[in-house]
Amino acid sequence: MSSEEATIQQEQLDLKKPPEPEPEPAGPTSVLPADGGVQPSAAAAAVAADDVAPPSAEETTFRALVLTGHGGYDKIKVQVKTQVKVPLGDGDVLVRVKACGLNFAELMGRQGLYDALASPPVTMGMECSGVIEAVGGDVADRTVGDRVMVLSSSGLWQELAVVPADQTFLMPDAMSFQEGAALPVNYITAHMMLFEMANLRPGKSVLVHMAAGGVGIAATQLCQTVPGVTVFGTASASKHQVILDGGLSHAIDYRTKDYVEEIRNISPKGLDIVLDPLGGSDTQKGFNLLKPMGTIVVFGAANCVTGQKKNLLAMAKTWYNQLSIGTMKLMQANKSVSGFHLGYLTDLALIRHTMDTLMDLYVQGKIKPRIDSTYHFEEVADAMRRMHERQNVGKVILLPELKEEEEKKEEEEKEEKEQEDEEKEKEEKEQEKLAEAKPEEVKADQG
């Protein structure tokens, strides 16, 4: 898994998915609940893949981002899915998606490097935010109109999604939909690595690679909730001021300097915790940087992702240089090596507990997702390119809403503001005219 991580396993119904010519304007026909969402897989099994919906069946359409094959940016297409409405399953909710998070895992998934993602064609997306439009049976703690964040293994890059209610999380009133889509994967990943695996305590030192990315910023903010923690971060020089302002103690330009040497100059004894999303030789370097009793948490292999498509040479080099260590050496070094992959974590109670903690921190103002940029579904290639080329500082967000609709909305808001400004200006001129009038004129006007 990579530095922008995946989450809970969830079966996302996509019935009647015949082989699609690439790209079809309309995606496969599947099943929506009668009150408007994607039916869970138990109900899906009741409908054969070659069944044809009766002519009287009500249908709905929605847009989705579908990975049509492994390769470059052109392999992700915007498709319009047509789905038949059937009753919503027990325990499920229908979510109208407002914003989606882009994670590094999706870059790897597009290249065929992410095992947790089903084979194409598949709708991608592991986190989103939106509004509940319908609830199924046995759902007691969610109601229509609730603003929620959602976690899933995939299937959330679409305008409508049905998910188990226990994979949704209520958003604080002050949280925007963009923040809601930016928080779950990055902050759960960072929190569990720091506090569940590495046991972060006051006075410790931490190295955060890719410190300007979603997990990097989340980890930096979470480190600040513990007194006296020193945070080292690697990032390109152009991002240093932003991440230093965000609480990083020491920023290191990994492109022009040897980060190991820089850290040794500042902290000769080494570090207590290293968060490693890179893999390969960087894992070995991180292990060597640890103090006795230190911990390295490996949670990605970003060094495998170089070009647009799968790079076998980069993969081979990464795995050849990967840290390999025996238990005896670990005992002698008094160090620990951990691995974290949110996509394979099935302890939902732990995940929910972590989200509760994160929501408390958000409400207290101690954490806040940084939104780097937003792109509409039609611009997904540009969004992926920005992350792939390490240009982002914070989270890249995808918006299901048609770009034309948002532009129209912005134009209407602009016209409304201009009208308000004109009326305000007119009123101010009237006041100025009144103020400049002679006292007898004022009296006459008021008479």
Side-chain angles (χ1 to χ4, degrees):
M1 179 147 195
S2 181
S3 69
E4 313 291 319
E5 293 316 308
T7 92
I8 327 167
Q9 292 293 334
Q10 170 216 338
E11 291 180 306
Q12 180 79 23
L13 170 66
D14 202 355
L15 290 179
K16 306 190 74 58
K17 185 176 276 191
E20 304 173 52
E22 186 184 320
E24 284 291 336
T29 299
S30 59
V31 178
L32 275 183
D35 46 7
V38 181
Q39 180 70 3
S41 56
V47 183
D50 57 355
D51 283 348
V52 178
S56 60
E58 187 180 357
E59 294 181 342
T60 189
T61 60
F62 57 89
R63 303 191 317 142
L65 283 175
V66 178
L67 179 65
T68 59
H70 294 139
Y73 303 125
D74 61 327
K75 294 300 182 181
I76 300 185
K77 310 290 186 181
V78 180
Q79 294 185 356
V80 179
K81 292 188 176 185
T82 300
Q83 295 189 322
V84 182
K85 293 183 178 180
V86 300
L88 192 64
D90 289 345
D92 290 337
V93 295
L94 166 67
V95 177
R96 173 71 63 175
V97 178
K98 299 294 186 180
C100 306
L102 173 61
N103 293 288
F104 207 88
E106 275 113 13
L107 300 186
M108 300 185 74
R110 194 197 70 237
Q111 295 188 2
L113 299 175
Y114 187 61
D115 294 339
L117 184 67
S119 299
V122 59
T123 300
M124 303 178 77
M126 298 175 291
E127 62 185 342
C128 73
S129 63
V131 178
I132 292 179
E133 289 196 348
V135 297
D138 298 332
V139 178
D141 57 351
R142 296 289 182 269
T143 60
V144 173
D146 283 346
R147 301 165 70 249
V148 293
M149 295 169 282
V150 185
L151 289 173
S152 176
S153 59
S154 62
L156 298 181
W157 284 1
Q158 54 188 31
E159 293 178 306
L160 285 174
V162 164
V163 294
D166 59 4
Q167 291 179 203
T168 66
F169 309 89
L170 293 174
M171 294 169 53
D173 292 339
M175 181 178 286
S176 69
F177 285 118
Q178 292 183 17
E179 288 179 334
L183 188 143
V185 170
N186 293 158
Y187 282 80
I188 290 175
T189 296
H191 192 280
M192 287 190 173
M193 289 192 299
L194 287 170
F195 296 101
E196 300 291 342
M197 304 199 84
N199 191 24
L200 179 63
R201 301 184 305 281
K204 297 298 182 179
S205 55
V206 182
L207 170 60
V208 179
H209 284 295
M210 300 173 71
V215 173
I217 287 176
T220 301
Q221 292 179 3
L222 289 169
C223 283
Q224 292 178 78
T225 66
V226 180
V229 173
T230 303
V231 187
F232 295 82
T234 61
S236 56
S238 62
K239 303 175 182 179
H240 283 189
Q241 192 57 53
V242 174
I243 57 180
L244 287 169
D245 291 344
L248 200 73
S249 307
H250 303 283
I252 303 170
D253 183 2
Y254 67 96
R255 295 180 177 180
T256 60
K257 295 183 178 180
D258 182 342
Y259 68 84
V260 173
E261 182 178 343
E262 291 294 309
I263 291 171
R264 288 291 186 191
N265 289 337
I266 299 170
S267 180
K269 293 183 178 180
L271 304 170
D272 297 296
I273 299 169
V274 174
L275 304 182
D276 174 31
L278 303 174
S281 59
D282 288 292
T283 307
Q284 181 68 63
K285 292 177 182 178
F287 182 82
N288 292 338
L289 275 171
L290 292 177
K291 298 177 182 177
M293 310 306 292
T295 299
I296 181 170
V297 185
V298 182
F299 68 107
N303 285 334
C304 288
V305 181
T306 53
Q308 246 194 81
K309 301 179 181 180
K310 182 188 297 184
N311 186 326
L312 296 178
L313 181 60
M315 292 174 61
K317 181 179 179 181
T318 299
W319 294 118
Y320 177 79
N321 291 310
Q322 192 65 36
L323 173 67
S324 178
I325 192 168
T327 55
M328 186 60 69
K329 185 173 181 180
L330 284 174
M331 291 169 57
Q332 295 169 347
N334 287 297
K335 300 177 182 181
S336 63
V337 179
S338 301
F340 184 82
H341 192 311
L342 189 54
Y344 290 102
L345 185 64
T346 59
D347 189 342
L348 188 55
L350 175 58
I351 291 172
R352 296 200 67 83
H353 174 72
T354 301
M355 279 296 284
D356 289 342
T357 301
L358 292 171
M359 289 305 95
D360 288 342
L361 292 173
Y362 177 88
V363 171
Q364 295 170 32
K366 294 183 178 181
I367 63 171
K368 184 177 179 64
R370 178 186 174 87
I371 308 302
D372 170 79
S373 52
T374 60
Y375 295 84
H376 293 270
F377 273 5
E378 297 87 347
E379 304 168 311
V380 63
D382 294 331
M384 285 195 157
R385 185 178 293 107
R386 182 169 181 80
M387 180 175 285
H388 180 92
E389 294 176 358
R390 309 293 200 275
Q391 296 176 353
N392 61 301
V393 181
K395 190 76 169 185
V396 177
I397 297 295
L398 297 172
L399 303 175
E401 184 179 27
L402 279 168
K403 186 176 182 181
E404 298 80 37
E405 291 180 0
E406 179 163 293
E407 289 175 345
K408 182 179 179 181
K409 186 188 301 181
E410 290 176 352
E411 186 64 29
E412 290 174 351
E413 291 175 352
K414 182 180 178 181
E415 290 177 359
E416 185 178 343
K417 186 177 185 304
E418 288 176 351
Q419 186 175 353
E420 290 176 355
D421 291 342
E422 287 177 3
E423 292 176 355
K424 184 178 179 182
E425 185 178 354
K426 184 178 178 181
E427 184 180 345
E428 289 175 350
K429 286 182 178 179
E430 289 292 335
Q431 293 293 333
E432 289 175 2
K433 184 178 178 182
L434 190 62
E436 293 173 357
K438 295 179 180 179
E440 57 270 17
E441 292 176 341
V442 174
K443 184 177 181 181
D445 289 340
Q446 294 176 345

